[in-house]
Amino acid sequence: MLRPVVVGIDGSPESLAAAHWAAREALLRGRPLRIVHAWEGMAGDDATLPELQVPRDRARRTLRQAMDQLIECHPHLDISADVIARPAPVGLLAEAEAAEMLVLGSRGLSGVGGFLVGSVAQAVVAHARRPVVLVRTGTAAEGHYVPSPDGRPSTLTPHGPVILGIDPSHPCGELVEFAFDEAARRHAPLQAVHAWHFPRASGYAPGPMDATARAESGAEASRALVSALGPWREKFPAVEVHELVAEGRPVQQLLEAAHGAGLLVLGRKVRPGSMGPHIGRVVHALMHHAGCPVAIVSHE
């Protein structure tokens, strides 16, 4: 059976935005879409007390409304829905195990310049072994595409680029392949971004040799990135690839590259035996501040 694209919803605007994004992704991948609502307080079908039936009926109504919207927009998409009587992080992680990917919503923070990623989404990202995509409120179909020549949103223009954050000193096949595959399905360009720092000892005063050494470090970083992408260029020859090697902080470089992008792809390293969940500073910051959907791919 084909792994479905799974989206978790709760009736909020951000979860509905995530559901519409997930539907378009399912169509791109030729996969079914599964909509789930998870809540530990959900009563079973045999519940008779009104106070137990109300949450269950509300959850089913939320699923029905989402399904009706998605069926109207995508009548040929195979869609199923289910209510899960488990705590949301546990239920969503269980769904992710059998999914092609899991899609969740994030809420905009007016005036703050970021997005609120709730505790459920953070817990799922920190533990999921399958890709997790976070979609912000207000992400519409037009957000996938480059604006029209007059600057207006459009679904008739090419897809926006896929941005890949990569450290070529620790290349990860799952991460790079996911990004190339997303770009190939969208017929979109892929931009691989590697931010590097010029090593300098504490208290060291810059000298005339710094410029030469910095240039050599930059050239070495560029060669490493080209080498890391080489096998995937051969596997996906139709994907237009651009490399960006820049000295500076990874978060800032990726935020700038992701402006106007269709998707930002990041990796989360799984650390066996580590205490508690681990997301990483760069991924954590970009989850909260990137304006486009963010895909987090776990890898060893």
Side-chain angles (χ1 to χ4, degrees), residues 16-260:
L16 292 176
H20 283 279
W21 190 95
R24 295 189 292 270
E25 183 70 16
L27 287 170
L28 279 175
R29 291 174 169 268
R31 301 277 174 161
L33 176 67
R34 177 168 166 78
I35 313 170
V36 298
H37 176 94
W39 183 46
E40 60 186 321
M42 198 66 58
D45 290 334
D46 56 349
T48 56
L49 295 176
E51 59 267 31
L52 297 179
Q53 294 176 348
V54 169
R56 182 194 62 199
D57 293 342
R58 183 185 301 119
R60 288 177 173 171
R61 186 165 58 251
T62 296
L63 287 175
R64 184 71 259 171
Q65 290 172 346
M67 280 196 70
D68 289 345
Q69 287 187 31
L70 294 173
I71 290 172
E72 182 178 358
C73 293
H74 310 287
H76 302 297
L77 180 60
D78 179 5
I79 306 175
S80 62
D82 200 6
V83 175
I84 304 171
R86 303 178 72 179
V90 176
L92 291 170
L93 283 169
E95 288 290 326
E97 287 296 317
E100 179 79 352
M101 67 173 59
L102 177 66
V103 184
L104 302 171
S106 62
R107 185 165 68 249
L109 297 177
S110 176
V112 179
F115 301 96
L116 178 63
V117 180
S119 58
V120 170
Q122 293 197 71
V124 171
V125 168
H127 291 96
R129 295 299 185 115
R130 301 294 300 168
V132 179
V133 181
L134 299 178
V135 179
R136 66 180 177 87
T137 309
T139 298
E142 294 85 351
H144 280 225
Y145 300 86
V146 174
S148 62
D150 61 4
R152 297 181 182 180
S154 172
T155 57
L156 303 177
T157 51
H159 276 270
V162 173
I163 308 300
L164 167 64
I166 180 173
D167 179 359
S169 64
H170 298 90
C172 167
E174 300 102 305
L175 172 65
V176 180
E177 182 168 24
F178 182 93
F180 267 84
D181 183 64
E182 287 288 336
R185 293 179 186 279
R186 289 168 165 75
H187 302 286
L190 172 70
Q191 183 172 52
V193 180
H194 170 44
W196 62 280
H197 293 278
F198 179 63
R200 186 158 51 209
S202 177
Y204 172 77
M209 297 298 293
D210 272 3
T212 300
R214 180 175 279 107
E216 291 176 350
S217 295
E220 183 179 349
S222 295
R223 289 192 295 269
L225 180 57
V226 170
S227 176
L229 298 177
W232 309 105
R233 284 180 181 268
E234 294 181 5
K235 185 172 182 178
F236 295 89
V239 174
E240 176 187 340
V241 182
H242 304 276
E243 295 103 358
L244 173 60
V245 178
E247 184 179 5
R249 297 179 180 275
V251 171
Q252 186 60 38
Q253 297 295 338
L254 286 165
L255 280 176
E256 292 178 5
H259 181 71

